[in-house]
Amino acid sequence: MEQILNTVIWNGKTIGDLLTIQFLASAVGSVLAVVAILFVGFLLGGWVRKRLTNLGLSYAHLDMTLFNFLGNVARYIVIGFAFLFVLNTFGVQTTSVVAVIGAAGLAIGLALQGTLSNVAAGVMIVFFRPIRIGDFVEVNGQMGTVKEITLNYTELAAVSNVQIIIPNSQVWGNTIVNYSSYDTRRAEWIFGVAYGADLKLAEETIRETIMADPRSKADPAPFIQVNNLGDFSVDFLVRVWCDSGDYFAYQADMKRKVKEALDSRGIEIPFPTRTVMQVNG
């Protein structure tokens, strides 16, 4: 029994040393210290993230995407320092731990190049902000409203409210069309009338119908001119500015209103026809 108690098992201490009241009290104290450090670390990390997020909410001109990202990064940094304090409490040399983490990070980085490229692209998106939460965009052939930007992916909500997840490397590495970047957009239509129609009356009808809508902007001035002499029609090219948020509904509404206005004034809207001739013989 005495031989067992004198067996060295950890840090020069024997089993007998570990069973003493003094050592057990020290171990319990270390465990309580670890719990306290982790509790404070997670609590402080959450507080820092909340403070950074609230800072973004306090100023309307600041981008919330950036502050959400910074808040999450700050939280993980605080928690990381808390774990280093825990290791130091148990007498572990943190410098050697950092070196091991660095070596492991290099190996993991080589194995996860695709994931790290998404992270790098996510950082670029957050800091350069080509898109923001709430923007209506087209990315990598997908169109929708930006719901979330994380370090690994960007989430869009399609027009049909379907979730679209795009890896950040495919967002940053592709052409981004941001329909929400500017306050106004220019809507464009082509309206065709018959060759026998009164072109002056047709132009007045189109102009009056479109400019009567409150969504139409008089400045910049609208463009309404004959643009093409087609096979079956004389085509008017119409360009009018509106607010970006009204664009899709506005463009669709005007097609119907102009068609009804032209019909009410007896202006014919032609459609392609084909003449079939029978040759005898």
Side-chain angles (χ1 to χ4, degrees):
M1 186 64 179
E2 183 178 352
Q3 184 177 1
I4 295 175
L5 293 176
N6 291 329
T7 302
V8 178
I9 60 172
W10 178 73
N11 202 24
K13 295 185 178 296
T14 64
I15 295 178
D17 294 332
L18 298 180
L19 293 178
T20 61
I21 298 298
Q22 182 180 1
F23 178 82
L24 292 176
S26 175
V28 171
S30 297
V31 171
L32 292 177
V34 167
V35 172
I37 290 172
L38 291 178
F39 176 78
V40 172
F42 278 93
L43 190 65
L44 183 60
W47 179 83
V48 170
R49 181 178 64 177
K50 186 176 180 180
R51 289 291 298 175
L52 287 172
T53 303
N54 289 340
L55 181 62
L57 293 173
S58 301
Y59 301 94
H61 65 281
L62 296 179
D63 182 18
M64 277 305 304
T65 304
L66 177 60
F67 283 89
N68 286 333
F69 170 77
L70 293 176
N72 287 325
V73 171
R75 176 175 179 269
Y76 289 128
I77 290 176
V78 171
I79 293 174
F81 275 108
F83 276 102
L84 289 179
F85 280 120
V86 167
L87 294 176
N88 190 58
T89 301
F90 284 104
V92 178
Q93 295 295 324
T94 54
T95 54
S96 60
V97 172
V98 172
V100 171
I101 292 175
L106 178 60
I108 294 173
L110 293 175
L112 301 175
Q113 294 183 30
T115 301
L116 291 180
S117 67
N118 288 330
V119 173
V123 172
M124 300 296 284
I125 293 170
V126 167
F127 278 96
F128 288 97
R129 296 180 290 177
I131 58 176
R132 304 181 183 186
I133 295 175
D135 286 353
F136 186 78
V137 300
E138 182 177 352
V139 179
N140 198 28
Q142 302 293 333
M143 182 180 292
T145 302
V146 180
K147 290 297 184 181
E148 186 178 10
I149 301 173
T150 70
L151 284 179
N152 291 309
Y153 63 85
T154 297
E155 178 186 346
L156 304 182
V159 177
S160 56
N161 201 33
V162 176
Q163 184 186 54
I164 302 173
I165 302 296
I166 306 176
N168 282 335
S169 59
Q170 296 182 23
V171 176
W172 184 253
N174 283 280
T175 300
I176 300 173
V177 181
N178 193 333
Y179 296 100
S180 303
S181 184
Y182 303 122
D183 294 332
T184 58
R185 289 186 64 183
R186 188 179 67 183
E188 183 174 307
W189 307 267
I190 295 177
F191 298 109
V193 299
Y195 271 91
D198 185 334
L199 296 183
K200 183 178 180 180
L201 178 61
E203 180 180 336
E204 290 177 354
T205 301
I206 295 172
R207 185 182 300 274
E208 290 173 2
T209 303
I210 290 181
M211 299 311 295
D213 191 287
R215 293 170 292 185
S216 303
K217 293 185 178 295
D219 185 23
F223 177 89
I224 304 175
Q225 296 288 342
V226 172
N227 181 63
N228 181 53
L229 301 177
D231 294 337
F232 307 99
S233 63
V234 178
D235 298 329
F236 283 89
L237 175 62
V238 181
R239 291 171 174 166
V240 184
W241 291 85
C242 67
D243 291 334
S244 295
D246 297 331
Y247 177 80
F248 290 103
Y250 171 70
Q251 191 177 52
D253 291 344
M254 290 302 100
K255 291 178 182 178
R256 177 174 179 174
K257 288 183 178 182
V258 169
K259 198 274 183 187
E260 291 174 345
L262 291 174
D263 288 344
S264 68
R265 294 190 178 181
I267 301 173
E268 182 183 354
I269 301 176
F271 51 88
T273 59
R274 177 177 297 177
T275 301
V276 180
M277 300 181 64
Q278 182 177 359
V279 179
N280 295 325

